Amino acid sequence: MARVVVNVALKPEILDPQGRAVQGALGRLGLGGVTDVRQGKQFIIDLDGDLEGDRAALMEKLAEELLSNPVIEDFTLTVEN
Amino acid sequence: MSARIGVVTFPGSLDDADAARAIRIAGATPVALWHGDADLHGVDAVVLPGGFSYGDYLRCGAIAKFAPVMSLIIEKAQSGLPVLGICNGFQILCESHLLPGALTRNDHQHFICQDQKLRIESTETLWTSDFALGQEIVIPLKNGEGGYVASEATLDELFAENRVIATYQGGNPNGSYRDIAGISNKAGNVVGLMPHPEHAVEALTGPTTDGIPFFASVVKSLVGAS
């Protein structure tokens, strides 16, 4: 059994209004010195068997085409077999 | 025979009935298309309406682009089928890479719903030819994720190729780069627009009837071609 974790975040140059709202809230709740907050998404995908070969390549492709939008987002993908 | 224009209903579409009504008012016959259709029923053009397809899950328009009907529309749009995406439809067209860039959360974080002044910046598309260049119109704008973003190079290219079809006037309502409200593809058959022309086609229900020319433009081009 394999677990795939895909983290997706807006590219640094894209404005993140949600992150900015969270940054404001952290400050209001007393956390000083917050210089930036970026909000992302995490996908935890469990699969039968090890992820390798064609299935690993398809997983990578879908992380780019479905789970993220390469126009505005970057992703990282890690596999625990 | 009048032109037949398809309106796609996805789970979560809201403005399909208004889009069909606008098509009727412009003199064409609306044809209901379902997201699961594997057939475009011979339509001459397609409108992707506003709403929240698939609940806006994942990203706005991200799941809709994989709907069976969309794979047909993407293929036909690349060979000239006129397609207008309004609001969520614009998001779907960007996710489908028929149009460049993406729509992101409004910079001020609030949902907006207001009558919006726009200036028509290009009349060289199938969906804007019935306007006068530089014409100012007022149609409703209602979105939470309507901020148009693209790389500087893409923005430069859009303006250089006359592919920005409308800009926001009287202040930028959602953080869209360079006040962009709508764009077209290179061929001018695919147009994405964040504000809603289909809500401005009758004096009784709209702020104006300024939305009609979007639909009348394509109807004229279809009638002229047949």
Side-chain angles (χ1 to χ4, degrees):
Chain A
M1 153 145 180
R3 168 163 286 187
V4 178
V5 178
V6 180
N7 284 302
V8 178
L10 284 170
K11 289 180 189 288
E13 66 270 26
I14 302 290
L15 178 70
D16 181 1
Q18 294 185 111
R20 207 170 55 180
V22 172
Q23 182 176 355
L26 290 171
R28 284 194 301 278
L29 293 169
L31 187 68
V34 180
T35 56
D36 193 23
V37 176
R38 306 289 290 177
Q39 180 174 325
K41 292 177 201 154
Q42 184 176 67
F43 301 88
I44 301 164
I45 302 160
D46 290 331
L47 302 119
D48 285 333
D50 285 354
L51 184 68
E52 51 198 9
D54 289 349
R55 201 160 67 137
L58 181 59
M59 181 69 251
E60 180 88 16
K61 181 171 180 279
L62 294 180
E64 184 169 352
E65 293 181 3
L66 174 67
L67 303 182
S68 69
N69 176 351
V71 176
I72 50 170
E73 294 170 325
D74 295 320
F75 71 91
T76 60
L77 184 155
T78 55
V79 183
E80 301 161 22
N81 276 324
Chain B
M1 206 177 89
S2 67
R4 299 171 74 247
I5 303 181
V7 178
V8 180
T9 299
F10 299 95
S13 292
L14 295 179
D15 300 325
D16 41 348
D18 273 20
R21 188 175 63 139
I23 288 165
R24 208 174 293 119
I25 287 171
T29 304
V31 177
L33 299 176
W34 179 239
H35 72 119
D37 282 352
D39 179 356
L40 291 182
H41 304 287
V43 297
D44 304 308
V46 168
V47 173
L48 302 176
F52 300 86
S53 58
Y54 305 94
D56 273 354
Y57 293 171
L58 193 58
R59 294 177 308 281
C60 305
I63 298 176
K65 77 170 159 174
F66 295 108
V69 78
M70 276 309 299
S71 60
L72 296 172
I73 291 170
I74 292 168
E75 187 190 323
K76 297 255 183 180
Q78 285 162 344
S79 54
L81 179 76
V83 179
L84 172 66
I86 303 165
C87 194
N88 188 223
F90 187 10
Q91 295 163 339
I92 295 168
L93 291 175
C94 287
E95 281 282 344
S96 303
H97 306 301
L98 285 173
L99 295 175
L103 284 310
T104 59
R105 195 166 294 271
N106 297 345
D107 58 351
H108 48 72
Q109 304 155 27
H110 299 285
F111 192 93
I112 46 170
C113 184
Q114 63 192 40
D115 295 335
Q116 178 66 45
K117 188 192 277 188
L118 307 174
R119 187 170 65 214
I120 301 297
E121 304 286 0
S122 169
T123 56
E124 293 175 16
T125 80
L126 292 183
W127 297 92
T128 57
S129 57
D130 219 28
F131 285 105
L133 189 62
Q135 187 177 341
E136 292 198 333
I137 64 171
V138 174
I139 61 176
L141 174 70
K142 46 167 193 162
N143 66 260
E145 302 194 29
Y148 181 75
V149 302
S151 68
E152 284 298 310
T154 299
L155 294 169
D156 288 342
E157 189 180 302
L158 286 171
F159 277 96
E161 295 178 348
N162 207 17
R163 291 166 55 196
V164 173
I165 63 126
T167 52
Y168 295 114
Q169 301 295 308
N172 187 324
N174 51 21
S176 289
Y177 289 2
R178 302 198 200 175
D179 298 336
I180 290 174
I183 58 170
S184 78
N185 67 346
K186 279 183 201 286
N189 63 305
V190 178
V191 165
L193 185 67
M194 190 42 59
H196 290 263
E198 80 284 15
H199 294 330
V201 294
E202 277 185 323
L204 178 65
T205 53
T208 64
T209 55
D210 291 348
I212 293 176
F214 285 98
F215 303 95
S217 296
V218 79
V219 169
K220 279 186 188 171
S221 79
L222 292 171
V223 169
S226 65

